[in-house]
Amino acid sequence: MLIEKIAGRTITNLWPARKGTIGEIVLEARGFSAKGKFSDIDLYVRRGEIIGLYGLVGAGRSETVRAIFGADKFDSGDLYIHGKKVVIRSPKTAIKKGLALVTEDRLTTGIIPDQSIRENVAVAYLPSIINRWNMVDEKKEQRDVREMVEILSVKYADLTQAVSSLSGGNQQKTIVGKWLLTKPEILILDEPTRGIDVGAKSEIHRLIAELADEGMAVIMVSSELPEIEGMSDRVYVFRDGKICAEFKKEELAANEVVKQAFGIEHRGSNDR
């Protein structure tokens, strides 16, 4: 197959099989609004669930998840984790609350190009390995980073090499690894496979599915409709800064999702 030739290896299934079960609601946003960006956003994600956020560029998807993570300001609305109201105004607080965000632009907000693989993967979780002398436990850092990049099958020569020397797919894996070291309960991925080759996409999809099967709550923003359909348990469609429709897995049909994104007709489900 052409895809296999491009990838350089056999890909038996573009979309990984799911084995886990979906549990209780982990995170919920109610009435989330930021003037000029998004308004009245109501969404939730459950344990072991992947929700997809789909819409045209500028529809408010990325702005919403950045605000949930505390990276951008919002004007009104509430966030709940396991049913308890939380206030998140910074990424530092979000990390403490069990959230992680793989940002949309890998090169400007995902990696630190001139720094090493080790430094890039370790940067978000360093506060958790400060020893009693208020110094980073370098042996633990080295061990944890090496273990993480091996689990994610990152192709590299040495942990000291610049992360910018890696391929796009391997850079993306290091970003995911950075956040997994923080042991998040809620993983937010904004365009997780943009700009990487077909084989790397398959590996990222498998990883996302495995994390969900292990109980992680996953929010995935994507402009690729096949990815949204293939990976999501539920989909929220954004248009003009609002959620205009919600689809369960069994309701997903490309033409219906696209119609909603363009505002052609109304359809969706709000059942829990």
Side-chain angles (χ1 to χ4, degrees):
M1 291 177 60
L2 179 60
I3 289 177
E4 292 174 1
K5 289 181 179 179
I6 294 172
R9 55 190 177 279
T10 300
I11 299 174
T12 57
N13 194 338
L14 284 176
W15 311 116
R18 299 283 300 285
K19 302 175 183 177
T21 58
I22 295 174
E24 74 283 358
I25 294 175
V26 178
L27 178 141
E28 183 172 12
R30 300 179 190 169
F32 226 51
S33 301
K35 188 175 181 181
K37 295 181 179 179
F38 55 86
S39 63
D40 298 320
I41 300 299
D42 293 331
L43 62 79
Y44 66 94
V45 60
R46 294 172 290 192
R47 186 177 185 274
E49 183 179 40
I50 301 173
I51 64 167
L53 307 188
Y54 182 76
L56 303 179
V57 174
R61 304 162 305 156
S62 296
E63 293 83 354
T64 295
V65 296
R66 285 180 59 83
I68 288 174
F69 189 68
D72 290 343
K73 294 180 180 179
F74 64 95
D75 300 318
S76 60
D78 298 307
L79 282 177
Y80 297 83
I81 295 179
H82 292 297
K84 295 182 179 180
K85 186 176 178 179
V86 296
V87 178
I88 297 177
R89 297 288 183 179
S90 70
K92 183 178 180 180
T93 302
I95 294 169
K96 290 181 179 178
K97 296 293 183 182
L99 279 76
L101 171 63
V102 175
T103 54
E104 179 180 13
D105 193 327
R106 179 175 67 250
L107 297 178
T108 60
T109 57
I111 63 171
I112 308 171
D114 295 333
Q115 291 193 354
S116 68
I117 297 170
R118 175 179 173 177
E119 290 168 315
N120 271 268
V121 175
V123 65
Y125 102 124
L126 286 180
S128 68
I129 56 168
I130 299 295
N131 60 27
R132 59 182 176 176
W133 296 285
N134 204 33
M135 298 177 66
V136 173
D137 184 338
E138 293 187 359
K139 287 185 178 180
K140 179 172 175 54
E141 176 195 358
Q142 176 86 5
R143 183 173 64 250
D144 290 350
V145 169
R146 188 177 299 280
E147 181 180 349
M148 180 57 67
V149 297
E150 288 177 358
I151 288 172
L152 298 180
S153 300
V154 177
K155 295 178 176 62
Y156 70 101
D158 192 278
L159 291 178
T160 61
Q161 74 185 86
V163 72
S164 58
S165 67
L166 300 177
S167 67
N170 284 299
Q171 287 178 13
Q172 191 72 352
K173 291 179 189 176
T174 65
I175 297 168
V176 174
K178 169 181 71 177
W179 289 114
L180 292 183
L181 277 182
T182 68
K183 295 180 169 57
E185 187 174 16
I186 304 147
L187 178 63
I188 304 171
L189 302 140
D190 195 351
E191 303 289 0
T193 62
R194 174 179 288 174
I196 62 179
D197 68 67
V198 177
K201 282 187 177 185
S202 180
E203 292 177 8
I204 294 292
H205 290 153
R206 176 185 53 77
L207 173 62
I208 294 170
E210 288 179 357
L211 292 171
D213 284 347
E214 291 171 3
M216 193 172 292
V218 179
I219 301 174
M220 183 182 71
V221 177
S222 179
S223 299
E224 297 187 20
L225 190 53
E227 182 171 67
I228 285 287
E229 287 191 298
M231 293 296 297
S232 305
D233 296 302
R234 282 185 304 116
V235 174
Y236 290 101
V237 183
F238 279 65
R239 186 175 71 245
D240 298 329
K242 295 184 178 182
I243 291 176
C244 60
E246 177 186 346
F247 294 89
K248 296 178 183 177
K249 182 77 170 180
E250 61 270 19
E251 297 173 327
L252 282 174
N255 60 332
E256 294 293 341
V257 174
V258 171
K259 284 177 182 178
Q260 281 300 314
F262 281 90
I264 296 174
E265 66 178 43
H266 177 73
R267 185 179 181 276
S269 170
N270 292 311
D271 295 338
R272 293 190 183 182

